[in-house]
Amino acid sequence: MSRRLLTRRRLLAGAAAAAPATLAGCDRLGASAAFQDNFLSLGEWLNYRVHRLLIGDALAREYRPEDVSPVFRTNGNTEPTDKTYVAHEKSGFAAWRLTVDGLVARPSAFTLDELRAMPARSQITRHDCVEGWSCVGQWTGVPLGQVLDRAGLLPQARFIVFHCADSVFGTDYYESIDLADAFHPQTILAYGMNGAPLPRAHGAPVRLRVERQLGYKHAKFVMRVEAVATLSGIGRGRGGFWEDLSRYEWYAGI
Ligand SMILES: Nc1nc2c(c(=O)[nH]1)N[C@H]1C(S)=C(S)[C@@H](COP(=O)(O)O)O[C@H]1N2
Ligand SMILES: [Mo]
């Protein structure tokens, strides 16, 4: 990873000069909208552009079953206290629905069984937390792109926001990604982990896996998926809980 970072840094130096020209050419990209919304610094936006150039649609590395960590650490919230969530959890999420709304033609609410009946994907990947630990786990879920296609994303949509059931310091957790990541084949709404239903501590009933970004982007306990044109109306406008609170990078590419 450090070698890749070094390469990125070197590229960044060269790319800085070309920034204004590049900016004009790629305004369909979410991060460009974010840059114009004034919450991505020039440095972060360039980092995003270079990362995209380097990896394009490349898949994150996938591992073998024998590589799966015997114990997968948990981080952040592991047991939401929200009353609605607790009731859903007690009844096996039978009445739980994943709301999909915002800039979509068909606002929808999917049951867990409906999500499980959609084409599924399993992948063994490494989770990297910004705090410096990594674990390998197997994730099974429905590609987010499938769900968005079912709801019919409108052309104005540029970001996908995830609203979670848990709160940190009194604020519900939220995260967002651009459409390039939303439709990436490894971006899934995972309901299974290591061959079993997703455990509560890891985000039951459904958590996001967005394999080319750091751990805090992988929203757990997802209740609602919202398509938006700008992140300015979400939280304090930087696109995620930690982005707003601690100025973590919105694009946390690894
Ligand atoms: N809803 C929600 N999602 C979250 C968090 C959280 O506290 N709440 N923590 C994030 C962080 S920092 C990490 S590293 C991963 C941890 O996932 P895990 O508990 O499955 O290891 O979830 C991320 N997603
Ligand atoms: Mo993390």
Side-chain angles (χ1 to χ4, degrees), residues 16-81:
T22 327
L23 177 62
C26 58
D27 64 352
R28 270 198 69 244
L29 283 164
S32 299
F35 177 59
Q36 283 151 23
D37 271 7
N38 258 326
F39 82 85
L40 281 196
S41 65
L42 178 64
E44 198 184 341
W45 177 77
L46 281 172
N47 180 40
Y48 166 91
R49 292 294 304 146
V50 170
H51 198 253
R52 283 271 183 266
L53 275 172
L54 284 180
I55 62 171
D57 289 335
L59 297 181
R61 179 173 169 196
E62 296 198 10
Y63 293 74
R64 299 164 306 174
E66 52 269 38
D67 299 323
V68 168
S69 305
V71 176
F72 198 109
R73 282 182 61 162
T74 59
N75 204 29
N77 278 325
T78 53
E79 193 177 341
T81 52

Side-chain angles (χ1 to χ4, degrees), residues 138-181:
Q138 189 212 37
W139 307 97
T140 301
V142 52
L144 175 63
Q146 297 266 352
V147 174
L148 296 174
D149 282 344
R150 285 274 289 268
L153 212 55
L154 294 176
Q156 309 93 283
R158 284 188 161 168
F159 304 97
I160 305 300
V161 183
F162 305 89
H163 300 275
C164 306
D166 61 312
S167 61
V168 185
F169 311 132
T171 302
D172 287 353
Y173 200 92
Y174 53 98
E175 257 304 337
S176 65
I177 56 176
D178 65 7
L179 296 188
D181 266 327

Side-chain angles (χ1 to χ4, degrees), residues 72-78 127 129-131 133 139 164-166 168 173 201-203 207 215-221 242:
F72 198 109
R73 282 182 61 162
T74 59
N75 204 29
N77 278 325
T78 53
H127 177 101
C129 174
V130 72
E131 290 164 15
W133 56 269
W139 307 97
C164 306
D166 61 312
V168 185
Y173 200 92
H202 292 291
R207 67 102 48 90
Y216 60 88
K217 301 296 292 186
H218 300 232
K220 307 196 283 189
F221 321 109
W242 290 111

